[in-house]
Amino acid sequence: MAHYYYPLSTRDFAFENIFSSESVSPASYYAKRAFGFDYFPVLPAVNNDEAILLFSKPPAYEDPNNAKFILKIAEGALNPAELVFIAEGVFAYYNTIYLDKGLASILFFSAKDIRMAILKANTSLPTKVAEKYIASFEIISNADCRVFPPVLPGVVRTDEDASLKIILDKRFNHFKGFIYGLVIGHIANDRKKERGLKMRFQEITNAFAELKSRIDSQQTVKGKGEIHLYIEKLFRAVNIAEIEHDQFQYGSDVDEDLLVEYLLSKLSRLKTAKDVNHYLDIVISNDELLGSSNYKTILDDYLLNRRSSVGHFIELRRNIQQFIDVFQSATRSVHSADEINNRIKLLLKNTADTHQEQLSARTYDLRLDLTSISYDIVENKVTFNMSQSYLNATPDNEFTFIINAILKFAKSNKGPARKEMILKIVEEVGSSYTKGGKETLLYQYLENRIDVYSLEKASNLIMKNFVAFTFNPDSLEKLDDFLMSKSVEERWMAYTFWGAYNGFANISRNYTADIFSSQNLELQEQIDQYLRQFILTVVNTKPSVSDTIKVVEVADPVLVIPDQAGLEDSLVGFFNLQVANHYKLSLEEFAQVVKLTQQKDFQDELKSKYQIAKKESLKLFNAVKKYFDPNALFR
């Protein structure tokens, strides 16, 4: 199979950009597509704004201040109809290239460049798929590169169909976000017990801090009896954490024969397995009669002792006991207590870290059949063709309807969610219940027409997850915290809604680490194999379909500064809060700048007159818009 070569460098986060979306597009796409990074650098002579310049051999080029790398792309990843001959060995490709492990390699010029690229990727939360491609990182030398004549700007034509291709690119990004949100959500849903184990480690830390605080203030405590309660609480927290850790590590199933053997070794009066079973029958009957939990205590003791405990827990108990012994000693040594205190803190950290490593090392078997999900990119709609319903017929239809409403009004701006888009989604979903979606309580609450909306008003689990998403459309972490705090079940649905709205490029590496771990290559391939069919559709969709594609138009962001009494005080308040001491602007200068309501004009003014960088001016623009816009979703 023939290959083509795309010369790049680490300038302006190009590497991080590519591996946040797992794709690369003509540079002109980035400012218009409203997802991921909004800029892509262009290297003179070997890159172009309107198209991706591909070479038949690795080209010779320079970028003295940045590390060079070359994307090696197999022809199977390209649509031949979009590949235009420019000069001998040089082609212009007028489309997005979607990376595939089997069809792409990344060529670096030194091992150091690879290490630095990976290091930078690991510090960028959107850059999530670099680890997936590490096996495809290769080293070449400058001697392997061929000199091509420079490509002059006028040689590459403007693509009349670029707007359509950007729409398709954006749609695929949100569909891919929907799929990854679905997978991430199922992983999170299946592993909620593991999150509970993290909380157990925190409970040990809290119990130890409580005990230490009581010990440090012993003079104000009435006797040592009260301290004993805190000691018991600490050891109880350690026992609970160890039991849950063993269940996580070895499973929670109880082998009845091994349980009998264990009790025979512990209870000298019981001589046979029949004696043990009779004893257990009595314990269980008493629990049912008296509401006690003696049988559970026996099981916990068995689970705790069925294997030699993890070394961290043994060491932890020993150090806690030493700490207590120092406290109870007549010749109490502050230095000894501090030393043991530091050891206990380190042990707690190591135990939690070990648990996290074990989590990362686990493989995940996706039980959901992705092939049962279809997607029409022209209609921008998904359908589910599941042989066995995962909820029931009515909720399944409801879930599908919500997903399609979100895809229809998917995020189309940088920064926080726009209130009008969330309201559009809520109105669309609400219209399936009433003639006027705007009359639903959720819509009225989000539009500030009513003051209170309880999650309990949601009719079922799907709607509870949908409401949770509408309250937390920007941060997946905040969404998850909300779901946990409200005890919302089946939270994979909310993850799916969030992924569909924000798109794949905006998902943080914190949530894809499980998928792209080297332990989950089979899962990666399962997802890739499913998505390939849609990549082929996106890449090969003909421009003539533009007549059938309906696009939800969203106006460019503008500032809405209300003309009202007290506006001057509001400006002063905002200036003191977010401008003074942060930007070299006086109040009078700031008041003039905010009169420029168009984002581009606002940023150009700050850059040309006050030398404020693009990133900082965008931050200020969004802050002003959020502060003064009465339609802002969250204050």
Side-chain angles (χ1 to χ4, degrees):
M1 184 181 292
H3 290 85
Y4 296 89
Y5 300 84
Y6 185 25
L8 297 162
S9 79
T10 55
R11 175 191 297 190
D12 292 334
F13 306 104
F15 183 85
E16 292 91 324
N17 195 335
I18 292 168
F19 290 100
S20 67
S21 63
E22 202 173 9
S23 67
V24 63
S25 302
S28 61
Y29 283 25
Y30 288 84
K32 303 171 185 175
R33 64 185 191 177
F35 68 82
F37 292 70
D38 59 1
Y39 172 76
F40 198 84
V42 174
L43 300 178
V46 291
N47 293 162
N48 188 274
D49 274 320
E50 301 298 329
I52 296 173
L53 292 185
L54 298 174
F55 297 80
S56 58
K57 300 290 182 183
Y61 66 107
E62 295 297 331
D63 188 356
N65 300 318
N66 301 280
K68 298 187 296 179
F69 68 95
I70 298 174
L71 287 184
K72 178 182 177 182
I73 306 295
E75 62 179 350
L78 307 176
N79 176 0
E82 300 289 352
L83 197 63
V84 177
F85 176 84
I86 296 296
E88 184 180 352
V90 185
F91 303 84
Y93 187 67
Y94 293 95
N95 213 331
T96 293
I97 298 174
Y98 299 95
L99 301 191
D100 186 306
K101 282 200 299 186
L103 299 173
S105 301
I106 300 87
L107 312 180
F108 290 89
F109 288 83
S110 73
K112 179 184 176 184
D113 290 346
I114 292 179
R115 289 195 300 272
M116 291 304 296
I118 293 172
L119 183 64
K120 289 175 69 178
N122 288 341
T123 61
S124 169
L125 289 178
T127 308
K128 51 198 149 291
V129 295
E131 184 177 357
K132 176 180 174 182
Y133 288 86
I134 283 178
S136 302
F137 289 3
E138 302 172 12
I139 297 176
I140 63 170
S141 70
N142 286 310
D144 298 320
C145 298
R146 172 187 160 185
V147 176
F148 287 88
V151 178
L152 301 176
V155 175
V156 180
R157 64 173 172 82
T158 299
D159 185 6
E160 295 179 355
D161 298 318
S163 295
L164 169 67
K165 293 169 185 174
I166 291 170
I167 292 170
L168 296 175
D169 192 23
K170 176 176 167 54
R171 287 188 175 180
F172 179 70
N173 174 63
H174 287 279
F175 172 70
K176 187 174 178 179
F178 154 64
I179 294 298
Y180 271 88
L182 184 65
V183 175
I184 293 166
H186 272 280
I187 293 175
N189 209 61
D190 290 350
R191 293 183 171 175
K192 59 185 176 183
K193 290 183 179 179
E194 297 166 8
R195 177 165 176 158
L197 183 51
K198 292 179 185 178
M199 293 170 64
R200 300 292 87 80
F201 292 138
Q202 187 59 48
E203 286 169 5
I204 297 175
T205 302
N206 295 343
F208 179 68
E210 229 175 351
L211 172 63
K212 186 174 180 299
S213 174
R214 291 289 174 175
I215 288 174
D216 290 342
S217 60
Q218 179 60 45
Q219 291 79 5
T220 64
V221 178
K222 297 177 181 179
K224 293 189 177 181
E226 190 174 338
I227 293 294
H228 183 69
L229 298 176
Y230 291 96
I231 293 172
E232 286 183 351
K233 181 179 180 180
L234 175 56
F235 278 116
R236 187 163 58 248
V238 174
N239 290 341
I240 292 171
E242 185 169 17
I243 289 168
E244 290 197 20
H245 183 276
D246 277 1
Q247 289 175 353
F248 162 73
Q249 190 74 8
Y250 310 118
S252 57
D253 295 335
V254 176
D255 187 313
E256 292 184 4
D257 292 335
L258 291 178
L259 175 61
V260 169
E261 286 182 21
Y262 170 71
L263 291 175
L264 282 171
S265 71
K266 297 280 286 184
L267 303 173
S268 58
R269 292 190 179 187
L270 302 180
K271 305 299 182 184
T272 66
K274 185 177 180 180
D275 292 340
V276 172
N277 286 322
H278 180 64
Y279 165 72
L280 289 176
D281 285 342
I282 293 172
V283 171
I284 293 171
S285 296
N286 285 337
D287 282 350
E288 292 175 351
L289 182 63
L290 304 174
S292 53
S293 57
N294 292 320
Y295 182 66
K296 181 181 183 302
T297 302
I298 291 170
L299 287 184
D300 287 347
D301 188 58
Y302 160 69
L303 291 171
L304 193 62
N305 289 277
R306 70 178 166 172
R307 299 183 185 258
S308 55
S309 290
V310 177
H312 285 310
F313 286 102
I314 296 173
E315 187 72 7
L316 186 59
R317 282 194 185 85
R318 187 175 66 82
N319 278 276
I320 289 172
Q321 190 58 56
Q322 284 182 359
F323 183 83
I324 294 167
D325 291 343
V326 169
F327 157 69
Q328 292 177 335
S329 170
T331 57
R332 180 179 175 187
S333 168
V334 175
H335 296 293
S336 298
D338 287 343
E339 181 185 344
I340 298 171
N341 174 47
N342 291 334
R343 263 189 275 159
I344 291 171
K345 287 181 178 179
L346 183 60
L347 275 168
L348 284 171
K349 180 182 182 302
N350 289 342
T351 306
D353 288 349
T354 300
H355 170 64
Q356 190 58 47
E357 288 172 7
Q358 290 168 342
L359 282 183
S360 300
R362 292 183 71 189
T363 57
Y364 182 80
D365 180 22
L366 183 64
R367 292 187 292 275
L368 178 70
D369 181 15
L370 292 177
T371 60
S372 63
I373 304 172
S374 303
Y375 177 58
D376 184 329
I377 195 165
V378 175
E379 293 294 324
N380 196 26
K381 290 184 177 180
V382 298
T383 53
F384 291 83
N385 307 296
M386 304 210 171
S387 56
Q388 182 177 2
S389 175
Y390 54 92
L391 292 169
N392 61 56
T394 302
D396 278 357
N397 293 334
E398 190 173 47
F399 180 78
T400 306
F401 189 85
I402 291 173
I403 287 296
N404 287 327
I406 291 172
L407 290 174
K408 181 177 180 179
F409 299 105
K411 190 171 187 178
S412 58
N413 65 289
K414 302 290 289 183
R418 291 188 189 175
K419 181 177 180 179
E420 59 267 28
M421 299 307 286
I422 299 298
L423 286 172
K424 282 285 188 183
I425 294 170
V426 173
E427 181 183 357
E428 186 92 351
V429 173
S431 66
S432 66
Y433 295 94
T434 65
K435 291 183 178 180
K438 292 183 179 181
E439 298 310 311
T440 60
L441 292 176
L442 178 59
Y443 190 98
Q444 293 180 58
Y445 174 72
L446 291 176
E447 205 181 31
N448 301 321
R449 282 194 274 154
I450 59 176
D451 295 330
V452 179
Y453 181 88
S454 171
L455 191 65
E456 299 308 314
K457 292 178 181 176
S459 57
N460 56 44
L461 274 178
I462 296 178
M463 291 309 298
K464 287 183 190 297
N465 278 276
F466 174 65
V467 172
F469 155 70
T470 63
F471 286 0
N472 303 275
D474 295 316
S475 169
L476 196 49
E477 184 175 10
K478 288 182 179 178
L479 173 60
D480 192 44
D481 287 343
F482 180 88
L483 293 166
M484 295 296 287
S485 68
K486 301 295 183 181
S487 300
V488 179
E489 296 295 322
E490 303 297 338
R491 56 200 176 109
W492 60 268
M493 290 186 279
Y495 275 73
T496 309
F497 299 150
W498 194 96
Y501 180 73
N502 286 279
F504 176 74
N506 290 336
I507 298 176
S508 164
R509 62 183 290 112
N510 290 340
Y511 290 91
T512 58
D514 276 332
I515 298 174
F516 296 127
S517 161
S518 58
Q519 305 295 323
N520 276 315
L521 297 178
E522 189 174 327
L523 175 60
Q524 292 174 32
E525 179 54 33
Q526 186 180 351
I527 298 172
D528 286 349
Q529 187 173 355
Y530 169 73
L531 289 174
R532 282 184 189 115
Q533 60 183 307
F534 302 105
I535 291 174
L536 287 174
T537 301
V538 175
V539 169
N540 294 303
T541 296
K542 297 179 180 179
S544 59
V545 304
S546 59
D547 294 335
T548 65
I549 288 187
K550 298 176 182 178
V551 182
V552 177
E553 296 291 342
V554 180
D556 291 333
V558 296
L559 295 182
V560 181
I561 308 295
D563 183 14
Q564 59 184 25
L567 174 59
E568 186 175 341
D569 290 339
S570 297
L571 272 176
V572 172
F574 179 86
F575 178 84
N576 291 334
L577 185 67
Q578 299 209 42
V579 180
N581 302 321
H582 297 288
Y583 301 95
K584 293 183 178 179
L585 281 173
S586 68
L587 176 60
E588 293 74 18
E589 291 168 336
F590 172 67
Q592 292 301 313
V593 172
V594 295
K595 291 179 180 179
L596 301 171
T597 59
Q598 298 294 326
Q599 179 181 317
K600 185 177 184 304
D601 296 340
F602 184 96
Q603 289 188 272
D604 288 347
E605 180 80 357
L606 288 177
K607 184 175 182 180
S608 62
K609 281 193 176 181
Y610 307 107
Q611 289 74 55
I612 295 177
K614 180 180 179 182
K615 184 177 180 181
E616 287 299 313
S617 64
L618 178 59
K619 186 196 300 184
L620 183 56
F621 179 88
N622 288 331
V624 175
K625 185 175 186 296
K626 182 177 180 181
Y627 188 85
F628 287 102
D629 188 352
N631 291 321
L633 182 56
F634 299 111
R635 291 286 180 185

